[in-house]
Amino acid sequence: MPGPIVRVAPHEVHLSDPEHYDKIYTVRSKFSKDAQFYGGFANPNSMFTTPSNELHRARRGDLNPFFSRKVVFDHETMVQEKVNKLMGRIEEALDSDMGLDVHHGLRAVSIDVITDYAFGESYRLLDQPDLGLQFFTLVQRLGPAAWLFRQWPWVKPVVMMMPKKVVYFLSEPMGFVRDLQSHCKEQIDQLIEARSTVHVDKDREIEKSTIFTSLLPTTGNIDEATKTVVGDEAYTVLTAAADTTGNAMTTITHYVLSDPKIYKRLHAELKIAFSSNQVVLDYASLEKLPYLSCVIKEGLRLSFGVPGRLPRVVPDTATEFESYVLPPGVGASLEPHKLGLQANEKFPDEAGKSFCAFREGQQSLPRHEVSTAFIMAGGYAAVFDDRSSLAYCELYVTIGTLFRRFPNLQGNDLVGEELAYDDYFSSYTPLHARKLHVMAADPSKTG
């Protein structure tokens, strides 16, 4: 039944008015995460899954320094390196009838950046022939397991104690959860081993501090409990980079390639700002370009790091929504997918799902209309909710470089379920669906 407030479970309501966003989801909100919903993930010690607001702030505070504006600019060279590698792959593929799989290529940029930044060593997915297909398949298959754990919470501790071969026999998605957990633990063990074998002079600071070396104790033995906590954060970092930033870049690329007018105007703006297509397109200059910013904002509105509801719990004081008073302990949520599409209703001359990269007379959009992919994703993605973030740096540098360097690309025609999302949690199209590829545009179809 449609309406501004709908009861979707015995103890949960769904809201449709974006004006409720700030009350529920901002960092200062007293609403906490739903423990059963977020308990469905296999990283209970991470910031992303922490129900307590106080503990969440503490864990978030440990990561915040790594995503400050200054630190992001200091590491921009790392982003530029990965983006240029993708551009090289595209150039090599333009003579191929199949073109290049940018669905996974754009996600590979995000993973190679965050692994270099977080672990001190990139996964180098951009160097792999399939651009990390096996890794992204692993991450995508985590979704069904989280759904099962959420519906039957007692299953998760049982699965975590079973031998991995037995888990795979019972449920392949649950086996993938165990695989990624093991992978993250190995990454942390390698960091610890590498650090213990490197001699550092007392009078000299370590030149390159990574996220996870900073979370580990600097002296003494590191116990298994600490390794588990840091491993859970690693689990979140990897899945968040693959799910949110990569999906946003793929969505933006698809819509720009689908509309020649947007493509032409975007390329023209970038060409004026950067006279050569071989120069470095720096983040500081790119974020000042108005049309590029509109394209990115609109892409964020229509990409969904998490398309489904994200429940929060009413705090100790009863709260009123739409003339209904909700008692403490009741769940309340908004749905990013509906919220993003609803933004267009403010512009009656446009269809709800259209991509319109320019709003006449409007330089910016309210926050809830702009960033459903990051702000509404919550948890780790909330680290990326301002213009100084690493995610925005990736977005501006990747999209800017792509459409400055290549004025005549075209994408394969995706239809139906190839553009639909499997709603387990993150925004993934079905595994068997065709993915976005780019190729040289047909000269007969370009003006």
Side-chain angles (χ1 to χ4, degrees), residues 76-112:
E76 183 181 346
T77 302
M78 183 189 299
V79 177
Q80 296 282 357
E81 175 192 345
K82 295 354 176 200
V83 170
N84 283 327
K85 189 171 288 187
L86 177 61
M87 298 304 115
R89 293 290 301 268
I90 294 174
E91 289 173 345
E92 293 173 1
L94 286 182
D95 293 333
S96 168
D97 292 338
M98 294 299 294
L100 186 77
D101 173 9
V102 292
H103 174 94
H104 292 107
L106 292 165
R107 285 164 166 77
V109 169
S110 293
I111 291 297
D112 281 359

Coordinates of all heavy atoms in Angstrom, one line a residue, residues 76-112:
E76 N 46.7 12.0 -4.3 CA 46.1 12.1 -5.6 C 46.9 11.4 -6.7 O 46.4 10.8 -7.6 CB 45.8 13.5 -6.0 CG 45.1 13.6 -7.3 CD 44.8 15.1 -7.8 OE1 45.0 16.0 -6.9 OE2 44.5 15.3 -8.9
T77 N 48.2 11.4 -6.6 CA 49.1 10.7 -7.6 C 48.7 9.2 -7.7 O 48.8 8.7 -8.8 CB 50.6 10.9 -7.2 OG1 50.9 12.3 -7.1 CG2 51.5 10.2 -8.3
M78 N 48.4 8.6 -6.6 CA 48.0 7.2 -6.6 C 46.7 7.0 -7.4 O 46.6 6.1 -8.2 CB 47.7 6.8 -5.1 CG 47.4 5.3 -4.9 SD 46.9 5.0 -3.2 CE 48.3 5.4 -2.3
V79 N 45.8 7.9 -7.2 CA 44.5 7.8 -8.0 C 44.8 8.0 -9.5 O 44.3 7.3 -10.4 CB 43.5 8.9 -7.5 CG1 42.2 8.8 -8.4 CG2 43.2 8.6 -6.1
Q80 N 45.6 9.1 -9.8 CA 46.0 9.4 -11.2 C 46.6 8.1 -11.9 O 46.4 7.8 -13.0 CB 46.9 10.6 -11.3 CG 46.3 11.9 -10.8 CD 45.4 12.5 -11.8 OE1 45.2 12.0 -12.9 NE2 44.8 13.6 -11.4
E81 N 47.5 7.5 -11.1 CA 48.2 6.3 -11.7 C 47.2 5.2 -12.1 O 47.3 4.6 -13.2 CB 49.2 5.8 -10.6 CG 49.9 4.5 -11.1 CD 50.6 3.8 -9.9 OE1 50.8 4.5 -8.8 OE2 51.0 2.6 -10.0
K82 N 46.2 4.9 -11.2 CA 45.3 3.9 -11.5 C 44.4 4.3 -12.7 O 44.0 3.5 -13.6 CB 44.4 3.6 -10.3 CG 45.0 3.0 -9.0 CD 46.4 2.6 -9.0 CE 46.8 2.1 -7.6 NZ 48.2 2.2 -7.4
V83 N 43.9 5.5 -12.7 CA 43.1 6.0 -13.8 C 43.8 5.9 -15.1 O 43.2 5.5 -16.1 CB 42.6 7.5 -13.5 CG1 41.9 8.1 -14.7 CG2 41.7 7.5 -12.3
N84 N 45.0 6.3 -15.2 CA 45.8 6.3 -16.4 C 46.0 4.9 -16.9 O 46.0 4.6 -18.1 CB 47.2 7.0 -16.2 CG 47.0 8.5 -16.3 OD1 46.2 9.1 -17.0 ND2 47.9 9.2 -15.5
K85 N 46.1 4.0 -16.0 CA 46.2 2.5 -16.3 C 44.9 2.1 -17.0 O 45.0 1.4 -18.0 CB 46.5 1.7 -15.1 CG 46.9 0.2 -15.4 CD 47.4 -0.5 -14.2 CE 48.7 0.0 -13.8 NZ 49.3 -0.8 -12.7
L86 N 43.8 2.5 -16.5 CA 42.5 2.1 -17.1 C 42.4 2.8 -18.5 O 41.9 2.2 -19.5 CB 41.3 2.6 -16.3 CG 39.9 2.3 -16.9 CD1 39.7 0.8 -17.1 CD2 38.8 2.9 -16.0
M87 N 42.8 4.1 -18.6 CA 42.8 4.7 -19.9 C 43.6 4.0 -20.9 O 43.3 3.8 -22.1 CB 43.3 6.2 -19.8 CG 42.5 7.1 -18.9 SD 40.7 7.2 -19.3 CE 40.0 6.4 -17.8
G88 N 44.8 3.5 -20.5 CA 45.6 2.7 -21.4 C 45.0 1.4 -21.8 O 45.1 1.0 -23.0
R89 N 44.2 0.8 -20.9 CA 43.5 -0.5 -21.3 C 42.4 -0.2 -22.3 O 42.2 -0.9 -23.3 CB 42.9 -1.1 -20.1 CG 43.8 -1.7 -19.0 CD 44.5 -2.9 -19.6 NE 43.6 -4.0 -20.0 CZ 43.2 -5.0 -19.2 NH1 43.7 -5.0 -17.9 NH2 42.4 -5.9 -19.6
I90 N 41.8 1.0 -22.2 CA 40.7 1.4 -23.1 C 41.3 1.6 -24.5 O 40.8 1.2 -25.6 CB 40.0 2.6 -22.6 CG1 39.1 2.3 -21.4 CG2 39.0 3.2 -23.7 CD1 38.5 3.5 -20.7
E91 N 42.5 2.4 -24.5 CA 43.1 2.6 -25.8 C 43.5 1.4 -26.5 O 43.4 1.2 -27.8 CB 44.4 3.5 -25.6 CG 44.0 5.0 -25.2 CD 45.2 5.8 -24.8 OE1 46.3 5.1 -24.5 OE2 45.1 7.0 -24.7
E92 N 44.0 0.4 -25.8 CA 44.4 -0.9 -26.4 C 43.2 -1.6 -26.9 O 43.4 -2.4 -27.9 CB 45.1 -1.7 -25.3 CG 46.5 -1.2 -24.9 CD 47.0 -2.0 -23.7 OE1 46.4 -3.0 -23.3 OE2 48.1 -1.6 -23.2
A93 N 42.1 -1.5 -26.3 CA 40.9 -2.2 -26.7 C 40.0 -1.6 -27.8 O 39.1 -2.3 -28.3 CB 40.0 -2.5 -25.5
L94 N 40.3 -0.4 -28.1 CA 39.4 0.3 -29.1 C 39.4 -0.4 -30.5 O 38.4 -0.2 -31.2 CB 39.8 1.8 -29.2 CG 39.5 2.7 -28.0 CD1 39.8 4.1 -28.3 CD2 38.0 2.6 -27.7
D95 N 40.5 -1.1 -30.8 CA 40.5 -1.8 -32.1 C 39.8 -3.1 -32.0 O 39.6 -3.8 -33.1 CB 41.9 -2.0 -32.6 CG 42.6 -0.6 -32.9 OD1 41.9 0.3 -33.3 OD2 43.8 -0.6 -32.8
S96 N 39.4 -3.5 -30.9 CA 38.7 -4.8 -30.7 C 37.2 -4.6 -30.9 O 36.6 -3.7 -30.5 CB 39.0 -5.3 -29.3 OG 38.1 -6.4 -29.0
D97 N 36.6 -5.6 -31.5 CA 35.1 -5.6 -31.7 C 34.4 -5.6 -30.4 O 33.3 -5.1 -30.2 CB 34.7 -6.7 -32.6 CG 35.1 -6.6 -34.0 OD1 35.4 -5.4 -34.4 OD2 35.2 -7.6 -34.7
M98 N 35.0 -6.2 -29.3 CA 34.3 -6.3 -28.0 C 34.6 -5.1 -27.2 O 33.8 -4.9 -26.2 CB 34.9 -7.6 -27.3 CG 34.5 -8.9 -28.0 SD 32.7 -9.1 -28.1 CE 32.3 -9.3 -26.4
G99 N 35.6 -4.3 -27.5 CA 35.8 -3.1 -26.7 C 36.4 -3.6 -25.3 O 37.0 -4.6 -25.2
L100 N 36.1 -2.7 -24.3 CA 36.7 -3.0 -22.9 C 35.5 -3.1 -21.9 O 34.6 -2.2 -22.0 CB 37.7 -2.0 -22.5 CG 38.4 -2.4 -21.2 CD1 39.4 -3.4 -21.4 CD2 39.0 -1.1 -20.5
D101 N 35.6 -4.0 -21.0 CA 34.6 -4.2 -20.0 C 34.9 -3.1 -18.9 O 35.7 -3.3 -18.0 CB 34.7 -5.6 -19.4 CG 33.9 -5.8 -18.1 OD1 33.1 -4.9 -17.8 OD2 34.0 -6.8 -17.5
V102 N 34.2 -1.9 -19.0 CA 34.4 -0.9 -18.0 C 33.6 -1.1 -16.8 O 33.8 -0.4 -15.8 CB 34.2 0.5 -18.6 CG1 35.2 0.9 -19.7 CG2 32.8 0.6 -19.2
H103 N 32.6 -1.9 -16.8 CA 31.9 -2.3 -15.6 C 32.8 -2.7 -14.5 O 32.8 -2.3 -13.4 CB 30.8 -3.4 -15.9 CG 30.1 -3.9 -14.7 ND1 28.9 -3.4 -14.3 CD2 30.4 -4.9 -13.8 CE1 28.5 -4.0 -13.2 NE2 29.4 -4.9 -12.9
H104 N 33.7 -3.7 -14.9 CA 34.7 -4.2 -14.0 C 35.9 -3.3 -13.9 O 36.6 -3.2 -12.9 CB 35.1 -5.6 -14.3 CG 34.0 -6.6 -14.0 ND1 33.2 -7.2 -15.0 CD2 33.4 -7.0 -12.9 CE1 32.3 -8.0 -14.5 NE2 32.4 -7.9 -13.2
G105 N 36.2 -2.6 -15.1 CA 37.4 -1.7 -15.1 C 37.3 -0.6 -14.1 O 38.2 -0.2 -13.5
L106 N 36.1 0.1 -14.1 CA 35.9 1.2 -13.2 C 35.9 0.7 -11.7 O 36.5 1.5 -10.8 CB 34.6 1.9 -13.5 CG 34.6 2.6 -14.9 CD1 33.2 3.0 -15.3 CD2 35.4 3.9 -14.8
R107 N 35.4 -0.4 -11.5 CA 35.5 -1.0 -10.1 C 36.9 -1.3 -9.7 O 37.3 -1.2 -8.6 CB 34.6 -2.2 -10.0 CG 33.1 -1.8 -9.9 CD 32.2 -3.1 -10.2 NE 30.8 -2.8 -9.8 CZ 30.0 -2.1 -10.5 NH1 30.4 -1.5 -11.7 NH2 28.7 -1.9 -10.1
A108 N 37.7 -1.8 -10.7 CA 39.1 -2.1 -10.5 C 39.9 -0.9 -10.1 O 40.8 -1.0 -9.3 CB 39.7 -2.8 -11.7
V109 N 39.5 0.3 -10.6 CA 40.2 1.5 -10.2 C 40.0 1.7 -8.7 O 41.0 2.0 -8.0 CB 39.6 2.7 -11.0 CG1 40.1 4.0 -10.4 CG2 40.0 2.7 -12.5
S110 N 38.8 1.6 -8.3 CA 38.5 1.8 -6.8 C 39.2 0.8 -5.9 O 39.7 1.2 -4.9 CB 37.0 1.7 -6.6 OG 36.3 2.8 -7.2
I111 N 39.2 -0.5 -6.3 CA 39.8 -1.5 -5.5 C 41.4 -1.3 -5.5 O 42.0 -1.4 -4.5 CB 39.5 -2.9 -6.0 CG1 38.0 -3.2 -5.8 CG2 40.4 -4.0 -5.4 CD1 37.6 -3.2 -4.3
D112 N 41.9 -1.0 -6.7 CA 43.4 -0.8 -6.7 C 43.8 0.4 -5.9 O 44.9 0.4 -5.3 CB 43.9 -0.7 -8.2 CG 44.0 -2.0 -8.9 OD1 43.7 -3.0 -8.2 OD2 44.3 -2.0 -10.1

